[in-house]
Amino acid sequence: MEGFVNWLNGIIWSQALIYLCLGVGLFYTLSTRFLQIRHMKDIFRLTFKGQKSEAGISSFQALNLALSGRVGTGNIAGVATAIAFGGPGAVFWMWLIAFLGAGSAFIESTLGQVYKSKQDGQFRGGPAYYIEKGLKLKWYAVLFAIVTVIATGALLPGVQANSIAVSIDNAFGINTSITGIVLMLVLAAIIFGGVKRIARTAEFVVPFMAVGYIIVALIITFANFSQIPEVLSLIFSSAFGGNAAYGGILGAAISWGVKRGIYSNEAGQGTGPHAAAAAEVSHPAKQGIVQAFSVYIDTWFVCTATAFMILMTGMYNVTPEGKEPIVTNLTEVEAGPGYTQAAVESVLPGFGAPFVAIALLFFAFTTIMAYYYMAETNLAYIRKNKNQWTEYVLKFVILGMVYYGCVKEAGLAWALGDVGVGAMAWLNLIAILLLTKPAMKVLKDYEAQLKDGKDPVFDPVKLGIKDADFWEHEYKYPEAESVEKIG
C-alpha cells in the first residue's frame, strides 16, 4: 500500500503543483497590491472586534479555529522533515510560501464568506459552496466536497495522531495504542458537542499553546544567540544553491519547503475558508484579512521557532531522497518531532522530550478537531440536511483513523496526509483563480468604504455579485445613518 501511496504522491506533488502554489500566491500578492502588508494595521482591530451570534462565531474564534487547523504537527514534525529532506534552505521557501500564501488565504477566505449559507442554524461555507454558487459547477463542487471529506476525515487525522503518539512514547514510554484510545475518547467528547464546542476549545487552547511554545523557543534562541547570523546565512545560502554542501539539492529545498509550508499554513489548500465562513462579520473582506494574518502566525512565528531551535543546536540530519547523507548529527532518530525534542533537550536536559510531546499534543489535537469541522461542513454540503446518520458515520471514521494513525508507521501516515493536502490544493487553487473577479470586487468595495470613513458593510447586489444568498436574503443591513464611523 505504501508503494501505491508514494506513487500517487509523485503525481499529485509534481513540479506543476509547486509552481502553481507559488504562482497563485504571487499573482494575488501583486493583484491585491501587497494586501498582506498594507492592511496589517487592521488585523488586530478586526480580530478582536467581531461578535458571535446564534449562527456564527466571533472573528477571534474563527481565527483560532483556523489556527487550530494550521498550527499542528506540521509546525514541529513538518519543519523537521523539510530540513531532513530539503536541507536548511527549505526553511526560506516555507517563509516565502507563507508570505505569498497570505494573499491566497485572503482570497479563499473572503470567497468563503461571500458565498456562505445558513444550515442547521449555523453558518456553513468553503470551497464547495463558492464553486457551486460562484462558478455554477455543481459537479466540481461535489468533487471537492468528497475529496475534502476523505482527506480531512480519513487521511490527515492520522498524521497528527501519529506525531502525538510517537512523541509521547519517546517522552514518557506510553504505548502508542494507549495514547490512541485516550485521544479517541477526548476527541469524541468534543466533536459530539458541535462546532460551538470546537470553537470554544480552540479559543482557549490555541493562544495558550502557541505562546508557551514560542517562549521556550526564545529561551533556546537566546542560549545560542551568537549563532543567529550563522543560521540565517545557512538558510539563505542553502535556499539558492550557494552553499557548497547543499548546492546539489536546490530542487529538493524548494519542493520540501513549499510542500511542508502548504501542509503547515494551509494557504490555498481550501481548509481556511471553512472557519472563515463560520464568522459573524459585516463584510467578507474583514475575515479575509484576519485569515491572511493566521498564515503569518503559523509559519513566521511557530515554524520559525522550530527551525531556529533545530538549526541552532545542530540537532538534525539531512538525507535527500535518493542521495547520500549530507549531515548526520543524530543517530537512530527518525525525521520528525525527535529533532525538536533533541534540540530542546540539548539546552534544557530532561525537559525537551516531555515539553515537545505536550506541545505537540495540543498542536496536533486541535488540528484534528479542525479537520473534523471541515469534514462535517463538506458532508453537510453533500447531504443537504438529508441522511443525518452520515454525520455519525463520519464521527466514528475520524475516531478510528486517529487510533490507526497512532499505531502505524510515520512514513505511511505522512504519505497519506500529503495525498489529501495535494488533492485539495489542486482543486481549490484552480477554483479561486476562476473566481478572482468577484473576490477583487469585494476587496475594492471594502477599501472604498474604509476610505470614506465607514465601517464596511457588504451588499452583493450593489457589486453585481450573484448567488450570495445569505447576504441578499438573510443579513440584516444597518440603516445608512447608523453605520459606525471609524478613524
Side-chain angles (χ1 to χ4, degrees):
M1 179 180 177
E2 189 166 353
F4 170 75
V5 173
N6 288 331
W7 170 80
L8 186 60
N9 249 328
I11 295 176
I12 293 176
W13 278 102
S14 64
Q15 292 300 311
L17 181 55
I18 302 297
Y19 294 135
L20 180 64
C21 292
L22 290 169
V24 171
L26 179 61
F27 171 68
Y28 285 125
T29 295
L30 296 175
S31 61
T32 63
R33 296 177 295 119
F34 292 87
L35 168 138
Q36 59 266 60
I37 296 175
R38 291 190 300 110
H39 284 288
M40 283 291 287
K41 63 182 180 181
D42 295 333
I43 288 170
F44 293 102
R45 176 177 60 83
L46 294 174
T47 298
F48 297 104
K49 181 180 177 182
Q51 299 296 314
K52 59 186 177 181
S53 66
E54 289 186 7
I57 58 180
S58 70
S59 290
F60 183 64
Q61 287 179 320
L63 171 67
N64 283 292
L65 183 57
L67 280 173
S68 66
R70 299 188 200 279
V71 179
T73 191
N75 298 82
I76 298 178
V79 173
T81 55
I83 293 172
F85 300 123
V91 176
F92 169 81
W93 294 101
M94 292 184 75
W95 289 341
L96 181 62
I97 197 62
F99 176 73
L100 299 179
S104 304
F106 168 81
I107 296 294
E108 64 180 358
S109 297
T110 297
L111 289 169
Q113 268 286 331
V114 170
Y115 295 105
K116 69 182 179 182
S117 299
K118 187 184 288 186
Q119 290 179 249
D120 305 323
Q122 62 188 35
F123 292 141
R124 297 281 192 182
Y129 293 79
Y130 55 68
I131 289 171
E132 178 184 352
K133 295 180 180 182
L135 296 178
K136 306 296 189 293
L137 295 175
K138 181 65 179 289
W139 66 269
Y140 193 0
V142 172
L143 175 62
F144 180 88
I146 292 172
V147 167
T148 303
V149 170
I150 295 172
T152 58
L155 302 182
L156 289 164
V159 181
Q160 309 293 329
N162 180 269
S163 293
I164 292 173
V166 169
S167 63
I168 287 179
D169 185 27
N170 290 341
F172 306 109
I174 297 175
N175 189 279
T176 55
S177 61
I178 295 176
T179 301
I181 292 172
V182 174
L183 288 180
M184 286 173 59
L185 294 174
V186 178
L187 181 63
I190 295 173
I191 65 176
F192 277 91
V195 64
K196 293 295 183 69
R197 183 176 295 177
I198 294 173
R200 286 195 299 268
T201 304
E203 183 181 28
F204 171 76
V205 173
V206 171
F208 167 77
M209 70 181 186
V211 171
Y213 187 74
I214 290 174
I215 287 173
V216 171
L218 288 173
I219 294 173
I220 306 299
T221 300
F222 284 123
N224 298 273
F225 191 78
S226 62
Q227 295 186 42
I228 292 179
E230 181 182 343
V231 168
L232 289 173
S233 175
L234 179 63
I235 291 173
F236 284 101
S237 63
S238 304
F240 299 99
N243 185 289
Y246 303 106
I249 62 167
L250 176 58
I254 298 173
S255 176
W256 280 97
V258 173
K259 182 190 293 188
R260 286 291 169 258
I262 292 173
Y263 187 92
S264 177
N265 64 51
E266 302 184 359
Q269 181 186 322
T271 51
H274 298 94
E280 180 74 57
V281 292
S282 66
H283 198 287
K286 291 182 175 182
Q287 188 57 207
I289 291 171
V290 170
Q291 294 301 326
F293 179 54
S294 72
V295 175
Y296 289 159
I297 295 175
D298 173 271
T299 305
W300 286 8
F301 294 165
V302 186
C303 284
T304 299
T306 300
F308 270 50
M309 286 193 291
I310 290 174
L311 295 175
M312 282 181 166
T313 58
M315 296 297 165
Y316 65 96
N317 299 326
V318 178
T319 307
E321 293 177 300
K323 296 181 181 294
E324 291 297 316
I326 297 175
V327 177
T328 53
N329 294 334
L330 295 173
T331 58
E332 299 181 358
V333 177
E334 186 177 3
Y339 285 15
T340 313
Q341 288 178 316
V344 179
E345 196 74 22
S346 68
V347 177
L348 302 170
F351 179 75
F355 170 75
V356 173
I358 293 171
L360 195 52
L361 171 64
F362 283 120
F363 279 36
F365 186 77
T366 53
T367 298
I368 296 172
M369 292 192 318
Y371 284 158
Y372 169 74
Y373 172 69
M374 297 166 201
E376 182 192 80
T377 295
N378 283 276
L379 186 64
Y381 169 81
I382 295 170
R383 61 181 174 81
K384 300 294 185 185
N385 297 321
K386 299 176 182 178
N387 302 322
Q388 297 284 345
W389 59 268
T390 56
E391 185 177 315
Y392 291 97
V393 172
L394 173 63
K395 285 180 168 69
F396 286 109
V397 167
I398 197 169
L399 291 172
M401 292 308 296
V402 164
Y403 181 81
Y404 179 81
C406 285
V407 299
K408 297 302 290 184
E409 291 295 323
L412 179 58
W414 276 101
L416 288 169
D418 283 340
V419 168
V421 170
M424 290 176 64
W426 268 112
L427 295 172
N428 184 61
L429 287 170
I430 292 172
I432 64 174
L433 280 173
L434 295 174
L435 287 167
T436 297
K437 186 175 180 179
M440 293 304 296
K441 282 184 178 180
V442 174
L443 175 59
K444 290 177 182 177
D445 176 64
Y446 173 79
E447 293 181 334
Q449 292 189 54
L450 276 184
K451 190 175 180 180
D452 290 339
K454 298 178 180 178
D455 182 11
V457 176
F458 181 57
D459 183 352
V461 176
K462 177 183 176 183
L463 299 179
I465 297 176
K466 298 180 180 179
D467 296 313
D469 299 332
F470 167 77
W471 296 98
E472 285 186 41
H473 307 299
E474 297 185 63
Y475 182 70
K476 296 180 180 179
Y477 292 94
E479 297 296 329
E481 62 269 18
S482 67
V483 174
E484 177 188 353
K485 296 288 183 179
I486 62 175

